[in-house]
Amino acid sequence: MKPLLLVVLAIVCNVGAQVALKRGANHELGWHTLFSIPVLSGLALYAVAFVLSIRIYAAYPLSLISPLMAAAIFLLVSLASVLLFNESMTLQKMLGMSVIVLGLWLLASSA
């Protein structure tokens, strides 16, 4: 599989894991919650993202790919939070996300 596709899959799995954990976090923390479908799905998605990340780190410089993936995950989780959980998107949050996108561009252009 191509390294860039691995990056996209790892990011999607990580975002999916966070969304799944959020869905499962609506209950009190106990055995019922820990073994719920959303929490177990989140765990499985994190495991897939972990394995993919090992392959990705072998293919790209860590100083470039780790910040790029972290920023992409942050941006997509923020978007998913608004779309799926009706969380607010304030002007301050949008400005912060814009700064992250600018940082991504600077980072990518320096490679």
Side-chain angles (χ1 to χ4, degrees), residues 42-59:
L43 181 62
L45 286 167
Y46 270 138
V48 171
F50 175 79
V51 171
L52 291 173
S53 294
I54 294 169
R55 294 281 312 270
I56 292 163
Y57 295 157

Side-chain angles (χ1 to χ4, degrees), residues 4 10 19 23 33-34 38 48 52 64 79 93 95 100 103 106 111:
L4 185 56
V19 168
R23 286 226 185 266
T33 301
L34 292 175
V48 171
L52 291 173
L64 174 67
L79 180 62
K93 286 181 184 178
L95 288 172
I100 290 170
L106 289 170

Side-chain angles (χ1 to χ4, degrees), residues 56-57 60-69 103-104 107-108 110-111:
I56 292 163
Y57 295 157
Y60 293 101
L62 185 62
S63 63
L64 174 67
I65 199 63
S66 183
L68 288 173
M69 288 177 61
L104 285 172
L107 188 62
S110 71

Side-chain angles (χ1 to χ4, degrees), residues 27-42:
H27 309 305
E28 251 182 63
L29 186 59
W31 293 112
H32 177 72
T33 301
L34 292 175
F35 291 102
S36 68
I37 297 298
V39 171
L40 292 175
S41 298

Side-chain angles (χ1 to χ4, degrees), residues 6 8 13 16 20 26-27 31 43-44 47 51 54 69 72 78 82 84-87 94 102 104 108-109:
L6 294 177
V8 172
C13 284
N26 291 329
H27 309 305
W31 293 112
L43 181 62
V51 171
I54 294 169
M69 288 177 61
S78 296
V82 170
L84 300 174
F85 302 113
N86 296 318
E87 294 183 11
M94 287 189 280
L102 175 62
L104 285 172
S109 66

Side-chain angles (χ1 to χ4, degrees), residues 10-12 14-15 18 68-79:
I11 289 169
V12 169
N14 197 300
V15 172
Q18 292 186 44
L68 288 173
M69 288 177 61
I73 291 165
F74 172 78
L75 293 171
L76 290 172
V77 166
S78 296
L79 180 62

